[in-house]
Amino acid sequence: MPHEQQQHSLRFYIVMTTLVVAGIIFLLYLNNDDDFSLTSAMVGLVDKNNSKEVKPEATTDTESLEQVFGKSAKRNQREVDLAVLFDQIPSVKDDAKVRDIEVRFDDLTTRISVNNDKLELNNIQQVTLRIKDFSGSLDFDKVGFSLSGSAKAIEVNDIALSSKGEIKIAFDDLQYDYLGLDELELEEVSLPHGNGQLTVAEKLTYELEQDQLKIYFFDGKLVIDRAAAEVLNMEGVARGISVSGALLDLNLQ
């Protein structure tokens, strides 16, 4: 008899536990509707350093997951090596410091102002303009390149322009064939949908096929060469990388 009572009690507890778990899952399903995920409801994140639970940031109707990831990348101090080859040119408008700028062009109609004087480029077919230690505003896209700021040195076709102190330089919508920016720091680089290749930490290589790419807190080299198969080449470090496409959404920090 005692043995049968123990078996009866055990079955009773198993049935009750099953009903309680089923009830919890049912309530979660009602609260989450079609977005219910058993994994996300039952699994938490743990910080390995202090073993405390890390609660995910809440999102509002106007705040996308992409915005949340961008904020997380801003707080993140870790950096990862990356290399990007891409067939599209980003649109960038920001204040920046750049150690070396090289721009090649045959557009002689755009006014280039150096220390408030026009830079004369007569009887030249192809121009290579180099700017050293630039600080100011940058604005470039697939159409043109604009900047306004100061530099320590300027060269035109390997001929240095001398000046006492810093040199002021400015131009708008210069039509360029090649643009190289070395030791460039940007808070965010957004690439439109396109094709190419992303390499992260020399371990992960991902083929981009009509994917959109965002790079947060980039520091490195950016080259745009219209004659190359992949017009954009980026190498450096970043705090966050977001890939969005038809087949895969990928966020890396």
Side-chain angles (χ1 to χ4, degrees):
M1 277 301 281
H3 180 68
E4 292 179 357
Q5 288 178 350
Q6 289 178 354
Q7 288 182 337
H8 178 74
S9 299
L10 180 61
R11 285 196 297 268
F12 174 80
Y13 287 126
I14 292 174
V15 171
M16 290 301 297
T17 301
T18 303
L19 290 174
V20 170
V21 173
I24 292 173
I25 294 176
F26 179 72
L27 290 174
L28 288 173
Y29 177 80
L30 290 179
N31 290 332
N32 290 277
D33 198 14
D34 293 335
D35 294 328
F36 168 72
S37 170
L38 180 60
T39 303
S40 62
M42 304 297 286
V43 177
L45 298 177
V46 176
D47 188 341
K48 293 182 180 180
N49 294 327
N50 53 25
S51 299
K52 293 181 180 179
E53 183 180 358
V54 179
K55 296 182 180 180
E57 296 186 39
T59 60
T60 65
D61 292 339
T62 59
E63 188 176 41
S64 66
L65 291 176
E66 189 175 89
Q67 290 173 314
V68 172
F69 181 73
K71 291 180 180 179
S72 176
K74 186 175 182 178
R75 293 193 304 270
N76 178 30
Q77 297 301 315
R78 293 176 299 176
E79 295 180 336
V80 61
D81 295 332
L82 76 131
V84 177
L85 294 173
F86 209 60
D87 65 355
Q88 300 294 323
I89 297 173
S91 296
V92 172
K93 186 175 183 179
D94 202 353
D95 292 330
K97 291 183 179 180
V98 190
R99 199 187 78 167
D100 290 300
I101 300 176
E102 180 178 342
V103 55
R104 304 172 195 166
F105 59 94
D106 56 13
D107 173 16
L108 304 183
T109 62
T110 298
R111 175 186 171 91
I112 300 177
S113 175
V114 177
N115 285 342
N116 299 321
D117 292 326
K118 180 181 178 182
L119 179 63
E120 298 294 340
L121 298 172
N122 299 324
N123 302 319
I124 301 177
Q125 292 183 347
Q126 185 73 26
V127 180
T128 298
L129 174 64
R130 291 187 175 91
I131 305 170
K132 304 291 185 180
D133 295 315
F134 173 81
S135 178
S137 62
L138 291 175
D139 185 355
F140 63 88
D141 54 25
K142 64 181 180 181
V143 178
F145 175 41
S146 305
L147 62 74
S148 178
S150 60
K152 290 186 177 179
I154 296 176
E155 294 180 2
V156 178
N157 289 357
D158 295 325
I159 299 175
L161 304 181
S162 61
S163 176
K164 293 182 179 179
E166 292 187 334
I167 303 173
K168 294 181 180 180
I169 181 169
F171 52 79
D172 290 319
D173 293 327
L174 179 68
Q175 309 294 306
Y176 64 92
D177 300 317
Y178 175 96
L179 175 61
L181 305 167
D182 196 10
E183 293 193 18
L184 167 70
E185 295 183 14
L186 292 173
E187 185 171 318
E188 181 179 315
V189 183
S190 180
L191 305 181
H193 290 281
N195 303 318
Q197 185 180 82
L198 168 66
T199 303
V200 180
E202 298 182 351
K203 294 181 179 180
L204 170 65
T205 299
Y206 180 70
E207 297 297 327
L208 301 166
E209 297 181 1
Q210 287 305 303
D211 290 312
Q212 186 178 25
L213 183 64
K214 280 197 174 184
I215 302 171
Y216 298 91
F217 296 92
F218 172 77
D219 184 356
K221 185 174 183 178
L222 184 151
V223 174
I224 299 171
D225 187 353
R226 298 187 190 276
E230 284 84 14
V231 294
L232 178 67
N233 186 346
M234 296 177 65
E235 293 183 6
V237 296
R239 295 187 198 173
I241 306 165
S242 176
V243 180
S244 178
L247 299 178
L248 176 67
D249 287 337
L250 177 66
N251 292 323
L252 298 174
Q253 282 188 348

